[in-house]
Amino acid sequence: MGTIGIEWVNKYHGRASDLKNNDDNARGFYNTLDGIRQFEYGDDLAWDQDFEQSGAGVPTSGTDQIYADNVDIAFFSGHGSQSGPFFGVATHDDGTARSTEVRLGDRYCNWVVFDACLVLAYDDGAVFDRWGWPAFKGLHYILGFHTTTGDSGDRGRKFAEYLNAGWRVRDAWIRACQDTEGSDVYWAYLRADQSGTDTYNDHWWGKGYVSPDPTAPTSLAYANGPC
Amino acid sequence: MPNSLFTFPKRLPDVPRDIAMYRTATQAVLSRKAAANADFAHRVKLYSMLFKTSTPVQEFGSFVLFREAEHSLELFRLSHSLRWTHNTLAHRESAPKAALPAEKEVQKLAAKALQDYQIDSANAKFQSIAYSQVVVATAPGGKKAVRNTEAHAIYGFSLDGIPVVGPGAKLRASFVEEGQMSQLLHFWRQPAKGKAVRIKTPQQALERFAQDPRFMRLSAETAVVDIHDIEFNYYALSPSDFQQYLIPVYSVKGTVKTTAFPRYDFTHRIVAVDLSPEQIKGLAAVANPGSCAVF
């Protein structure tokens, strides 16, 4: 059975405008998906370093080995930008889980969801420079948005319901986005593969095929479309 | 509205003082009445015939599913919504074997699909064509080809000339090469015009917006909230959510800039009728009245 970790932020202490629904959104995912609930941190206890590799980038305070990379699926809900998911406090690291510091899959993480604006904005191919190769150390997918997105309170629950119902991970994410946004918002994902893997057909654990980990990916597929 | 944190648009829309409420017929679906069940059973029968399903229906609570080898059909209980999906063509990554249909052709194909599948498009109008895109990289750096994998004909809904927005007002037909349909989305609740209610003025809506707790922790010294646009709409919730009335809202578009977070573009909705959560509950308008003020 798969393991689940979530982090969410509504309170930004003036670093950005506050949000309202990220607790409901992330908890909906956490409490609905069939699996082992391993961690939940919200607001001031949600830290960017929990998604970052120890020793990578600056500051080097990453602790993903006990948080995001210690579960099969990690879900973040809050503000975001091309720089990465944005957190409410910057006292432990710099408050942004930057692509230069995210290295997932060298432990357990197969899928990470950044339910936040613009983290996967295509930007004429710059998404590959940001999230491309170094972030994928066995990670199968980064799921998120090409555009800005709404402050949804139930996308996480719907995503979990579709995973539980046996849809592939990519189909479940797209369906959840279609159910919660208008067509002006674009879902997106970035997916890694290598010889012997088939992450395209990934399902949630216990619901169908799960690919072996692409530990040294030879291709990255980026996709986006209207919700 | 003096407030140094906010900049407001110079021109505000002209909006009538009273606006019709639109009741959606989902209350019948929710009840245990035989008529409600018959209504849903009729939809299941009709669309399973039109989409040529052959597998037994699977029950998932808020929707039922026909999962066929080649396609799937979801029918939602709490709205008159459906989603038909071709299992391999929708959201695929592989390159089309031939060119996607031209935009005019996509529009024609969509119009025909709506007719063939008896989709209620009385309040919908073709709006635009959009594309799903895939890019595959095989090494860091280097030039990558962007390929369009699906063309989507997107329709917009309106009632009395007022746009209906939100995830529950969506009509879209998607196509790939040789005019094959890859997905059909019809998220909608059949509306019945009800009595007119007094609505807030755009000024009152913006005053309410400026008091929203989202902005309470921002300081005018380090942040600015620039409102670009305000528009009157009806709002439709997700197709799997309970909703008895379309919600009259002002949609406010703007940008928040702070020193720590340089740009956040938002669209927030301000409920345009002055009803307390108790009154909303009394009307059984939505499942969670407390969530309805600014969202």
Side-chain angles (χ1 to χ4, degrees):
Chain A
M1 188 168 267
T3 51
I4 313 158
I6 61 163
E7 301 211 355
W8 53 265
V9 182
N10 282 331
K11 271 192 239 168
Y12 276 90
H13 301 289
R15 285 167 46 75
S17 55
D18 283 349
L19 296 169
K20 282 186 178 171
N21 300 315
N22 291 286
D23 48 349
D24 291 341
N25 190 36
R27 284 175 176 154
F29 178 74
Y30 197 58
N31 293 324
T32 305
L33 186 62
D34 295 340
I36 297 163
R37 292 183 269 281
Q38 199 153 303
F39 70 84
E40 179 206 334
Y41 295 107
D43 282 335
D44 295 0
L45 289 177
W47 304 341
D48 55 307
Q49 65 182 37
D50 301 344
F51 290 80
E52 295 169 350
Q53 179 103 335
S54 173
V58 180
T60 58
S61 50
T63 54
D64 72 356
Q65 74 279 6
I66 48 173
Y67 299 108
D69 212 0
N70 202 33
V71 290
D72 293 295
I73 190 162
F75 187 105
F76 169 82
S77 188
H79 276 305
S81 72
Q82 284 91 334
S83 300
F86 189 72
F87 291 74
V89 289
T91 45
H92 304 278
D93 196 279
D94 69 352
T96 301
R98 295 181 190 280
S99 54
T100 49
E101 298 171 76
V102 172
R103 306 278 183 272
L104 291 169
D106 49 342
R107 280 179 63 80
Y108 300 118
C109 190
N110 292 334
W111 308 282
V112 65
V113 183
F114 295 138
D115 191 340
C117 298
L118 291 167
V119 174
L120 292 180
Y122 182 64
D123 284 342
D124 206 19
V127 68
F128 288 100
D129 303 327
R130 297 196 309 271
W131 295 103
W133 310 83
F136 287 86
K137 296 289 183 196
L139 180 70
H140 300 198
Y141 278 83
I142 301 174
L143 300 144
F145 290 94
H146 166 57
T147 56
T148 56
T149 183
D151 186 4
S152 170
D154 59 1
R155 184 158 42 243
R157 174 176 58 78
K158 290 176 196 291
F159 179 43
E161 285 173 351
Y162 287 125
L163 290 172
N164 287 342
W167 263 282
R168 291 178 297 195
V169 171
R170 55 192 296 284
D171 294 325
W173 178 242
I174 293 166
R175 274 183 162 71
C177 294
Q178 287 179 340
D179 287 1
T180 53
E181 296 291 345
S183 291
D184 54 332
V185 173
Y186 276 55
W187 55 263
Y189 67 74
L190 197 54
R191 178 180 72 80
D193 246 333
Q194 68 186 53
S195 175
T197 68
D198 177 16
T199 58
Y200 186 87
N201 287 308
D202 266 356
H203 295 70
W204 174 237
W205 286 106
K207 304 298 178 185
Y209 170 83
V210 182
S211 170
D213 296 342
T215 51
T218 51
S219 77
L220 289 179
Y222 173 85
N224 73 37
C227 291
Chain B
M1 282 173 281
N3 188 325
S4 56
L5 180 62
F6 293 89
T7 62
F8 295 99
K10 288 196 173 71
R11 299 189 64 157
L12 298 178
D14 290 326
V15 178
R17 292 186 72 188
D18 298 315
I19 209 92
M21 290 292 286
Y22 276 93
R23 190 178 181 102
T24 57
T26 53
Q27 80 281 0
V29 178
L30 254 200
S31 79
R32 297 287 177 199
K33 289 177 189 166
N37 291 334
D39 175 58
F40 187 63
H42 169 73
R43 289 177 55 223
V44 170
K45 196 174 165 188
L46 172 69
Y47 291 116
S48 64
M49 180 193 72
L50 291 171
F51 288 100
K52 297 184 172 58
T53 63
S54 58
T55 55
V57 64
Q58 296 175 41
E59 178 61 60
F60 285 91
S62 64
F63 65 94
V64 297
L65 168 69
F66 293 92
R67 207 190 298 243
E68 308 285 314
E70 199 176 70
H71 64 261
S72 64
L73 173 66
E74 293 151 80
L75 296 166
F76 293 82
R77 276 186 191 283
L78 294 179
S79 61
H80 301 97
S81 302
L82 66 83
R83 174 167 40 211
W84 178 91
T85 308
H86 191 288
N87 295 339
T88 51
L89 298 177
H91 326 304
R92 65 179 176 183
E93 288 180 5
S94 57
K97 292 180 184 124
L100 295 180
E103 296 198 351
K104 286 261 183 238
E105 182 63 16
V106 172
Q107 203 178 330
K108 270 191 208 164
L109 289 165
K112 183 171 184 314
L114 300 190
Q115 203 168 31
D116 290 350
Y117 295 108
Q118 299 184 22
I119 301 297
D120 172 18
S121 58
N123 302 110
K125 210 169 160 186
F126 171 77
Q127 215 165 47
S128 61
I129 301 287
Y131 294 92
S132 288
Q133 298 192 314
V134 171
V135 187
V136 178
T138 52
K143 206 165 167 60
K144 298 154 205 83
V146 178
R147 58 187 182 230
N148 290 343
T149 51
E150 284 178 276
H152 310 281
I154 295 176
Y155 290 70
F157 284 98
S158 65
L159 293 168
D160 302 330
I162 297 166
V164 186
V165 298
K170 191 180 295 187
L171 176 55
R172 187 165 83 216
S174 308
F175 297 91
V176 297
E177 65 272 21
E178 293 164 358
Q180 286 187 88
M181 191 164 74
S182 52
Q183 191 168 56
L184 179 63
L185 293 181
H186 181 225
F187 292 176
W188 187 237
R189 294 169 177 85
Q190 284 165 7
K193 199 168 190 170
K195 63 177 184 181
V197 294
R198 178 66 38 101
I199 59 165
K200 292 174 185 168
T201 64
Q203 289 89 340
Q204 288 170 326
L206 287 175
E207 280 164 18
R208 176 69 188 80
F209 181 77
Q211 291 161 11
D212 191 62
R214 279 187 179 92
F215 308 110
M216 276 172 59
R217 283 180 245 265
L218 296 180
S219 152
E221 286 162 18
T222 57
V224 62
V225 182
D226 184 13
I227 298 166
H228 316 308
D229 189 38
I230 177 167
E231 183 187 65
F232 187 78
N233 301 132
Y234 290 107
Y235 189 84
L237 298 171
S238 173
S240 54
D241 289 351
F242 171 69
Q243 180 173 19
Q244 201 148 252
Y245 289 90
L246 294 173
I247 306 169
V249 295
Y250 284 100
S251 297
V252 176
K253 292 182 180 172
T255 304
V256 182
K257 294 176 182 172
T258 69
T259 47
F261 195 64
R263 186 175 185 99
Y264 169 50
D265 293 313
F266 63 81
T267 303
H268 290 314
R269 322 285 179 181
I270 306 158
V271 176
V273 287
D274 248 333
L275 294 176
S276 67
E278 288 80 3
Q279 289 168 312
I280 296 172
K281 183 181 175 188
L283 289 168
V286 292
N288 178 9
S291 67
C292 267
V294 180
F295 60 99

